[in-house]
Amino acid sequence: MGFSEDNLKGFILALMSSLFIGASFIIKKKGLRRAAAASGVRAGTGGFSYLLEPLWWLGMITMIIGEVANFVAYAFAPAVLVTPLGALSIIVSAVLAQFILNEKLHQLGILGCVMCIAGSVVIVIHAPQEHPITSVHEICSMATQPAFLLYVASVIVLVFILIFHFAPQCGHSNVLVFTGICSLMGSLSVMSVKALGTALKLTFEGNNQLLYPETWFFVFIVATCVITQMNYLNKALDTFNTAVVSPIYYVMFTSLTILASVIMFKDWDGQSVGNIISEICGFIVVLSGTILLHTTKDFERSSSFRGSYASLSPALSARLCSGNGEFMKHDEENQLPAEAVCLQRQEMH
């Protein structure tokens, strides 16, 4: 199956999005460091001096541009192509951190980058072509087909169970609860974003879709899903170590988004079994590379462990110190040696 013009546009926009978002993390971190050096108060300890730092705002603008490019990419290319390419932002961030922030990229991290690139190439080569959509009514009919309605109902039931049953009981001890809510809602938000993006694309082409209530319904769904998604993502990041949350969230979110897209937009209809298997294999390679990249981020910190903690894994040491990932966060914010943090914890008990 040939690579269509719309797929090419979506690919370029997704690539630009990854470049801008990946760079924004480095620019914002550079701004945070500069603001902390000027004021003596870090953002992690409650400081807000970064709001007066132009470099931090440049990072925010860069991120906004990246998110807009990602939004538009969904209007041209299928989610099966666009969503996995988000892993490239991690590569951009890791490489720039090596040169700008002097944060060492471990050899296994380099392997993770190569795996993400290789997997992305496989996905791009075998990506399906989108079926032409002429109106928001057509999107609405896709969203109301029995298979997708069953998926939506399943997501809503699971989200309610996670929020009202599991979150109060084990939300702060099991990372899968908050990330599960984020991922499930995220899959619906991407479908709504794609529907809204397609409606806006048709509008700009002269076929005004803003006159129809279905378009505004998708706006409401996007807002609801994104707010819920961000709320529980913040809870997850505040409770657990980022190096744990990020790969789990990426794997769950991307997998569910691709599943939702295949059901709603029938991305794999008309594709050969070989192409579908190739896309799945490319996706698995990207996921593996992403997990490897996130895992090696803690290698430098774990190598600083001394004494009785030198032989323990970072995850086990974190559990011994706090049990829920607070160890790593305090280590990052206060810049204390790992063993000092653990000794403080022991003295408190």
Side-chain angles (χ1 to χ4, degrees):
M1 186 174 292
F3 201 62
S4 68
E5 183 180 348
D6 278 352
N7 272 15
L8 179 61
K9 291 177 181 177
F11 166 70
I12 293 173
L13 286 166
L15 193 61
M16 288 176 56
S17 171
S18 295
L19 290 172
F20 277 102
I21 292 175
S24 72
F25 290 127
I26 305 304
I27 297 172
K28 286 199 295 182
K29 188 164 184 176
K30 193 78 173 176
L32 288 170
R33 287 184 176 181
R34 184 179 295 181
S39 66
V41 182
R42 299 182 61 192
T45 57
F48 294 96
S49 57
Y50 61 87
L51 294 175
L52 301 176
E53 175 56 51
L55 196 59
W56 184 85
W57 284 107
L58 177 61
M60 280 298 296
I61 294 171
T62 305
M63 176 171 282
I64 291 171
I65 294 173
E67 294 293 352
V68 170
N70 191 58
F71 175 85
V72 179
Y74 280 111
F76 290 97
V80 174
L81 170 62
V82 176
T83 305
L85 292 178
L88 297 179
S89 64
I90 304 172
I91 299 177
V92 174
S93 179
V95 172
L96 290 179
Q98 169 90 5
F99 296 103
I100 298 176
L101 301 177
N102 296 320
E103 295 181 0
K104 185 178 179 181
L105 183 61
H106 195 274
Q107 288 182 348
L108 288 177
I110 297 174
L111 176 60
C113 291
V114 173
M115 291 173 65
C116 287
I117 294 173
S120 298
V121 169
V122 173
I123 291 172
V124 169
I125 291 174
H126 297 280
Q129 293 184 12
E130 281 222 293
H131 305 289
I133 298 175
T134 57
S135 71
V136 72
H137 298 293
E138 188 176 345
I139 303 174
C140 198
S141 65
M142 293 178 180
T144 54
Q145 59 185 308
F148 188 70
L149 287 177
L150 179 61
Y151 175 81
V152 172
S154 302
V155 166
I156 293 173
V157 170
L158 286 172
V159 166
F160 271 89
I161 292 174
L162 287 171
I163 290 176
F164 294 107
H165 179 70
F166 288 102
Q169 294 185 3
C170 56
H172 292 277
S173 59
N174 191 330
V175 69
L176 295 178
V177 176
F178 291 149
T179 53
I181 296 170
C182 297
S183 303
L184 289 165
M185 295 302 291
S187 67
L188 296 184
S189 70
V190 169
M191 296 303 99
S192 303
V193 162
K194 183 167 179 59
L196 181 59
T198 303
L200 292 176
K201 174 191 171 187
L202 292 171
T203 299
F204 287 127
E205 290 176 350
N207 185 6
N208 191 358
Q209 302 296 305
L210 300 179
L211 302 174
Y212 305 113
E214 290 88 348
T215 302
W216 299 103
F217 173 74
F218 284 122
V219 171
F220 171 75
I221 297 299
V222 168
T224 303
C225 291
V226 168
I227 290 172
T228 307
Q229 183 183 356
M230 290 300 101
N231 177 44
Y232 283 94
L233 180 58
N234 287 332
K235 286 179 181 289
L237 292 172
D238 187 55
T239 307
F240 302 96
N241 188 356
T242 305
V244 175
V245 174
S246 297
I248 293 176
Y249 173 61
Y250 179 80
V251 170
M252 294 176 67
F253 166 71
T254 308
S255 302
L256 289 169
T257 297
I258 290 176
L259 175 62
S261 182
V262 168
I263 295 173
M264 178 174 173
F265 292 98
K266 303 187 182 302
D267 293 328
W268 285 345
D269 280 15
Q271 275 204 300
S272 65
V273 176
N275 275 338
I276 294 174
I277 293 175
S278 297
E279 289 171 37
I280 294 173
C281 290
F283 175 53
I284 292 173
V285 172
V286 171
L287 292 183
S288 303
T290 303
I291 293 171
L292 193 58
L293 258 174
H294 278 287
T295 303
T296 54
K297 281 182 179 180
D298 278 348
F299 274 18
E300 290 302 307
R301 270 178 295 196
S302 63
S303 65
S304 67
F305 284 14
R306 296 292 183 266
S308 61
Y309 293 96
S311 61
L312 299 178
S313 69
L316 180 56
S317 300
R319 286 198 296 270
L320 287 174
C321 292
S322 65
N324 66 353
E326 290 182 2
F327 164 75
M328 284 300 185
K329 289 191 291 181
H330 283 286
D331 184 27
E332 290 174 351
E333 294 175 0
N334 300 322
Q335 298 296 313
L336 291 176
E339 59 270 28
V341 177
C342 291
L343 287 174
Q344 286 183 0
R345 295 279 184 186
Q346 289 178 336
E347 291 172 359
M348 290 174 63
H349 297 285

